[in-house]
Amino acid sequence: MKLQNYISGSFIEPDSGEWMEDYSPATGEIIGHVPKSQKSDVNKAVQAAKDALPSWSSLTHVERSEWLDKIADNLESKYEEIAQLESKDTGKPISLAREVDAYRSVKNFRFFAEIIRNLESEHFEMEDANNRIIYKPVGIGALITPWNLPLYLLSWKVAPAIGMGNTVVCKPSELTPMTADLLMKAIHEIGLPKGVINLVHGDGIGAGSPLVSHQDVNLVSFTGGTSTGAIVAQSAAPSFKKLSLELGGKNSSIIFNDCDLDKTVPGVVRSGFLNQGQVCLCGSRILVQESIYDEFVERFVNEVENMKIGDPSNEDTKLGALISPEHLLKIEEYIHIAKDEGGTILTGGYPCLPKEFEKGNWIAPTVIADLKVNSRCSTEEIFGPIVTIHKFSSEEDAIKIANNTRYGLAGSIWTTDLEKGNRVAEQIHTGMIWINTWLHRDLRVPFGGVKDSGVGREGGKWSLGFFSETMNICTKYD
Ligand code: NDP
């Protein structure tokens, strides 16, 4: 597949005339070519968004909701294609690509269609006046997304952004460009007005950076790593762009001795290793109350070792490949660091796979015990199939360990005492906590982190707030 940029309703080549290679994480083979875009391509895309803005922003919420529904319909007809492309491009199991990526990509458009259709202006009455709050488009949005959940995260931004009347330029990760291209084909097929959604492929420096700093871009919604987020924030600051940053995480799963182990063990395995641990919400530090530590660890390791790793296209596969050789190297380095820090590898190593996968990026799920709670492996984001397990004695101890990281995105608590679960949850410095579950998403609720995990919230009305300017019109009565 030789991909193109999508600008002003046309698929066009990058000005550089250069493409980058897109590799299959599972086999290492080249599966596509991605435009190597540069500033001039970004300029064209921003101009297209600017040209489209007046007519798109003058549509009503209901009219724009209808477009979102049409996009959802078209994506739904491509459900299996989304799953296949995403599995091939990211190395994730096909079952996961169907259940999570394809499902949420369609759902995001449907969900925002529904809430934007029903959006009403708020009123605040005074004795002698009325305040009417309206939501106006911000302008041109730069939407920048990572490789772990490509269309899931892109659609999470595109739907509320255009639904609220903005026009956008998207920059997906160069590592996983395929489903962003599919989305452009979908909007092209349904005849979405040209310039409302534009797409510039390329790397962060060549395409992402000029997009974020472009003087005509009014808002930036960025999901990615914390260090990139800091650069993006700096570039966006001089022109006071509206900014949402969804960044890294190092989330704790806190397991109390009164938990239901039959539910907790599979729940914590899922939270540790879904998508090979490459989900910002993954619970990669597992804190276990000391009286059940041995039993939990034995059952947990057993369950981890029973996960089927291998061919992402196989329906039974639970774990696929890592995104890139560079990312695999990072994971291997952290395993060395863990050993140097005194950690014990309870399970891990390399899976034994057929020859066709020998050039892929493979490593077995790795469980590490005996590390200090402030060791590098238990406080830094690794973003791969590695979890560290630690003992705690009391509620206070668990809270202290959970808060001992620069990140503050999410976490989970496992207990049958819901009062205790809620009490502990309130004291964890994160944006989200699940009790007796993980990644159980209601799209109406706020999503985002504190500390180095980000700035702002998206989700439900928080997305609508971010992707719009609220304006108050105060009318004095006679
Ligand atoms: P990166 O920060 O490396 O990249 C994210 C996106 O930013 C990519 O499209 C990248 O382009 C682009 N980019 C890189 N440099 C710049 C720049 N200077 N200006 C503008 N854009 C730039 O993250 P990863 O793709 O490696 O994703 C993994 C990270 O994402 C993890 O830290 C994870 O925790 C986080 N994440 C957070 C989520 C959340 O909701 N909080 C959800 C999912 C992931 P390219 O890669 O093409 O160079």
Side-chain angles (χ1 to χ4, degrees):
M1 276 176 90
K2 195 173 184 188
L3 305 184
Q4 313 274 15
N5 290 330
Y6 187 70
I7 298 177
S8 193
S10 300
F11 289 92
I12 57 173
E13 301 201 342
D15 284 347
S16 65
E18 290 178 49
W19 274 259
M20 298 174 285
E21 284 158 349
D22 180 22
Y23 296 92
S24 154
T27 63
E29 67 186 348
I30 295 170
I31 52 173
H33 291 88
V34 196
K36 189 168 169 50
S37 306
Q38 56 194 26
K39 194 172 176 178
S40 59
D41 302 292
V42 169
N43 289 346
K44 280 186 207 163
V46 173
Q47 186 59 47
K50 201 172 171 180
D51 293 343
L53 189 61
S55 59
W56 182 252
S57 60
S58 66
L59 297 184
T60 64
H61 287 142
V62 174
E63 287 168 325
R64 289 195 292 263
S65 294
E66 282 163 9
W67 279 110
L68 295 185
D69 268 333
K70 281 188 205 165
I71 299 174
D73 290 343
N74 190 291
L75 287 181
E76 200 151 26
S77 73
K78 299 179 174 21
Y79 200 95
E80 186 57 21
E81 198 185 340
I82 298 173
Q84 294 290 345
L85 280 178
E86 214 68 295
S87 172
K88 203 170 168 185
D89 216 10
T90 62
K92 69 178 67 182
I94 184 65
S95 57
L96 183 69
R98 281 196 196 104
E99 281 161 33
V100 174
D101 298 77
Y103 172 78
R104 264 293 295 278
S105 303
V106 176
K107 173 98 179 165
N108 286 339
F109 281 99
R110 288 249 184 271
F111 168 75
F112 282 110
E114 183 64 20
I115 61 168
I116 290 170
R117 181 178 294 112
N118 295 316
L119 187 66
E120 286 176 2
S121 52
E122 280 182 271
H123 292 264
F124 294 92
E125 291 292 338
M126 300 168 77
E127 267 182 18
D128 57 350
N130 168 271
N131 292 285
R132 183 166 64 94
I133 316 294
I134 59 165
Y135 302 92
K136 294 165 78 169
V138 185
I140 298 165
L143 312 181
I144 301 184
T145 45
W147 46 260
N148 61 334
L149 294 160
L151 190 56
Y152 173 123
L153 289 171
L154 187 60
S155 52
W156 181 238
K157 297 181 189 303
V158 168
I162 66 164
M164 294 307 283
N166 307 285
T167 55
V168 298
V169 179
C170 311
K171 209 303 279 173
S173 169
E174 82 203 51
L175 299 175
T176 53
M178 298 232 177
T179 49
D181 177 67
L182 177 144
L183 176 63
M184 297 308 112
K185 288 177 178 145
I187 61 166
H188 195 71
E189 281 167 20
I190 63 166
L192 185 79
K194 63 180 190 179
V196 174
I197 303 177
N198 305 277
L199 176 79
V200 178
H201 289 286
D203 60 26
I205 302 297
S209 182
L211 177 59
V212 170
S213 57
H214 197 292
Q215 58 179 6
D216 291 336
V217 165
N218 309 99
L219 75 81
V220 177
S221 174
F222 171 85
T223 300
T226 294
S227 52
T228 319
I231 297 169
V232 166
Q234 271 183 343
S235 314
S239 48
F240 306 106
K241 297 181 199 315
K242 243 185 143 176
L243 185 64
S244 165
L245 299 172
E246 301 284 357
L247 309 177
K250 186 73 181 181
N251 314 295
S252 297
S253 305
I254 302 175
I255 295 139
F256 283 103
N257 57 12
D258 59 7
C259 74
D260 176 346
L261 274 178
D262 289 342
K263 291 181 182 150
T264 301
V265 171
V268 177
V269 169
R270 176 173 167 268
S271 136
F273 296 106
L274 191 83
N275 203 28
Q276 298 75 250
Q278 302 168 137
V279 178
C280 53
L281 307 165
C282 273
S284 53
R285 347 166 54 211
I286 301 175
L287 317 183
V288 189
Q289 197 151 22
E290 51 198 2
S291 61
I292 58 160
Y293 181 85
D294 290 340
E295 185 186 0
F296 176 85
V297 169
E298 190 186 336
R299 290 178 64 167
F300 182 80
V301 170
N302 189 35
E303 183 117 359
V304 170
E305 288 179 342
N306 280 332
M307 276 193 292
K308 192 171 169 203
I309 178 166
D311 186 350
S313 67
N314 188 319
E315 300 290 336
D316 304 330
T317 296
K318 290 280 176 275
L319 285 174
L322 299 187
I323 188 67
S324 65
E326 294 75 23
H327 197 52
L328 174 60
L329 192 63
K330 177 185 162 187
I331 304 301
E332 290 168 331
E333 277 170 7
Y334 268 104
I335 293 171
H336 288 303
I337 292 168
K339 287 180 184 160
D340 290 346
E341 288 181 320
T344 308
I345 312 293
L346 301 179
T347 186
Y350 294 93
C352 188
L353 296 172
K355 201 168 169 19
E356 64 183 295
F357 300 114
E358 67 185 7
K359 294 208 172 104
N361 317 310
W362 296 95
I363 194 156
T366 306
V367 180
I368 307 173
D370 302 328
L371 284 171
K372 292 207 170 82
V373 291
N374 58 359
S375 62
R376 284 190 59 194
C377 280
S378 58
T379 53
E380 295 177 11
E381 185 187 47
I382 301 176
F383 210 59
I386 299 185
V387 299
T388 63
I389 304 201
H390 310 269
K391 277 184 202 166
F392 70 87
S393 53
S394 61
E395 273 179 56
E396 294 68 32
D397 195 23
I399 293 164
K400 199 169 149 203
I401 300 171
N403 287 335
N404 177 31
T405 144
R406 60 192 280 234
Y407 297 103
L409 189 58
S412 64
I413 296 170
W414 303 80
T415 173
T416 49
D417 180 347
L418 299 186
E419 205 176 302
K420 176 170 69 182
N422 277 276
R423 184 170 65 232
V424 172
E426 286 176 20
Q427 293 175 76
I428 308 291
H429 303 152
T430 60
M432 298 162 278
I433 288 280
W434 282 281
I435 298 175
N436 294 328
T437 185
W438 175 79
L439 194 45
H440 192 47
R441 289 281 287 123
D442 180 331
L443 303 188
R444 293 169 301 178
V445 305
F447 183 101
V450 301
K451 301 199 280 187
D452 285 8
S453 288
V455 177
R457 295 289 179 277
E458 293 188 21
K461 66 179 185 185
W462 289 269
S463 288
L464 305 193
F466 173 68
F467 288 107
S468 65
E469 292 290 4
T470 42
M471 179 186 185
N472 182 42
I473 302 173
C474 180
T475 310
K476 175 106 168 47
Y477 303 135
D478 276 342

